[in-house]
Amino acid sequence: MLNETQPEQLFMLHRPLLFSLAYRMLGSVHDAEDIIQEAYFTLSETSIEQVQNPKAYLCKIVTNRCIDLLKSARKKRETYVGPWLPEPLIIDTEKDPEQNYMMKESISTAYLLLLEQLSETERAVFLLREVLQYDYEYIAEVVGKSSTNCRQIFHRARKAVGNHRASDQIPTPRAAALTEQFVTAIVSGNVNKLLSLLAVDATLLSDGGGKTKAAVLPILGAERIVRFYMGILAKFTEDFSYKFTTVNGDPGIILYVENKVFGVLSLHIQNGLIHQIYWVVNPEKLTHIK
């Protein structure tokens, strides 16, 4: 006999999976949390006896809510000021073992930006197949298309995304050391050291969303990135501090100004050099970070 607490138990069992799916679809911690909460309310109001596969049922709810939200937000995204970056996801598997689930597949900023190339339905089909390994018959039920069509959509989406290369899986101490060297070089104004850590063709994307000062175009090349940081440093008079952390699976830092979160930086590392820097300073994307 099913008891009254079962909906909550089922939801908590699948919560890491649901958040993982919603965050990859949306690139927003806040929206992902809201949507999986909606899924819980829907489940709690549903007769459990009629749900043959709660996991699939919840994934279907979350996927369709994400598709609807992406469609409604499309115009806003098109008029976004400067580069758009996903809300930083701070991973702390020591404090929250559930977040280990998020690390099983790529959640790097670079990967999420590749997903942005896909339409809402393409993204759903791609994630349900690539990340969650669902068969095409189930995916067809979720997105309301034939299994043959879903197969075609998946192959088209995978071709569009291409062969994403995640950051090198360097040991945590080495990643931390490289990140610390990078920050120390900026703070001390050590131009030569900074150049030695950056790939010649490194790229910096800065997301201020029109809410605060940020570069509205990508900054290309190590020398230009160095000039950008030296310019910021020259104007930086406030008291600031920083904390090393893991951002979307990549090494990063949280920067505090007067004890308040000012920005989050993450580094995409390949062959021991920094190839991409992602710098989120849009205050609306930082409210979930402490």
Side-chain angles (χ1 to χ4, degrees):
M1 185 72 178
L2 296 169
N3 58 56
E4 294 180 358
T5 63
Q6 192 166 24
E8 183 175 357
Q9 293 171 341
L10 287 171
F11 173 74
M12 294 308 296
L13 174 65
H14 299 303
R15 190 183 188 286
L17 165 67
L18 299 175
F19 179 83
S20 170
L21 173 61
Y23 178 73
R24 286 183 174 92
M25 282 286 292
L26 303 171
S28 168
V29 175
H30 283 121
D31 290 340
E33 292 285 4
D34 287 345
I35 281 180
I36 64 173
Q37 195 62 34
E38 285 182 34
Y40 168 68
F41 288 142
T42 302
L43 180 68
S44 63
E45 295 172 354
T46 302
S47 175
I48 299 297
E49 293 88 344
Q50 298 177 4
V51 180
Q52 295 182 346
N53 187 336
K55 176 182 174 182
Y57 178 72
L58 287 166
C59 283
K60 182 175 182 178
I61 294 171
V62 167
T63 300
N64 287 321
R65 293 285 196 279
C66 287
I67 289 174
D68 290 342
L69 185 59
L70 285 169
K71 286 179 178 178
S72 66
R74 188 186 303 158
K75 190 171 183 179
K76 183 179 179 181
R77 185 73 62 82
E78 289 172 353
T79 58
Y80 195 82
V81 178
W84 179 93
L85 294 174
E87 290 180 9
L89 183 64
I90 308 301
I91 302 292
D92 190 343
T93 54
E94 292 183 2
K95 291 184 179 179
D96 187 0
E98 279 191 349
Q99 289 191 353
N100 276 305
Y101 187 90
M102 293 295 294
M103 301 297 288
K104 291 181 180 179
E105 301 288 345
S106 177
I107 54 161
S108 73
T109 300
Y111 184 76
L112 295 179
L113 288 177
L114 287 173
L115 295 181
E116 283 292 304
Q117 302 175 46
L118 308 178
S119 70
E120 297 85 4
T121 301
E122 286 174 338
R123 199 178 311 180
V125 170
F126 182 77
L127 290 172
L128 288 169
R129 180 64 178 172
E130 183 83 357
V131 177
L132 302 184
Q133 301 294 307
Y134 281 123
D135 59 42
Y136 289 110
E137 286 71 23
Y138 169 74
I139 297 172
E141 181 183 346
V142 171
V143 300
K145 297 183 180 295
S146 70
S147 59
T148 301
N149 197 355
C150 286
R151 189 184 299 271
Q152 294 171 343
I153 291 171
F154 172 74
H155 289 299
R156 186 167 65 242
R158 186 164 63 177
K159 184 177 180 180
V161 170
N163 295 319
H164 166 65
R165 181 180 175 185
S167 279
D168 293 342
Q169 296 300 306
I170 58 178
T172 300
R174 284 183 57 197
L178 191 150
T179 308
E180 185 171 355
Q181 290 172 32
F182 175 76
V183 174
T184 300
I186 293 173
V187 174
S188 64
N190 190 334
V191 172
N192 290 333
K193 181 62 177 178
L194 197 52
L195 285 171
S196 73
L197 300 172
L198 293 164
V200 174
D201 58 349
T203 303
L204 184 150
L205 294 179
S206 177
D207 181 347
K211 310 294 182 182
T212 188
K213 289 183 179 180
V216 295
L217 294 174
I219 299 176
L220 309 176
E223 292 186 357
R224 290 183 178 180
I225 291 173
V226 170
R227 288 200 298 270
F228 173 79
Y229 278 116
M230 292 304 102
I232 289 179
L233 188 64
K235 300 173 183 177
F236 226 93
T237 58
E238 300 97 334
D239 292 332
F240 70 91
S241 59
Y242 50 86
K243 178 175 73 175
F244 297 107
T245 187
T246 302
V247 182
N248 290 78
D250 285 335
I253 68 164
I254 304 174
L255 177 67
Y256 302 87
V257 173
E258 296 179 351
N259 297 317
K260 294 180 181 179
V261 177
F262 176 79
V264 173
L265 177 149
S266 60
L267 306 176
H268 191 74
I269 301 168
Q270 292 177 4
N271 300 321
L273 293 174
I274 299 166
H275 280 252
Q276 281 89 32
I277 302 170
Y278 303 104
W279 177 228
V280 179
V281 288
N282 182 344
E284 294 181 354
K285 295 186 176 184
L286 303 174
T287 57
H288 64 289
I289 299 173
K290 298 180 180 179

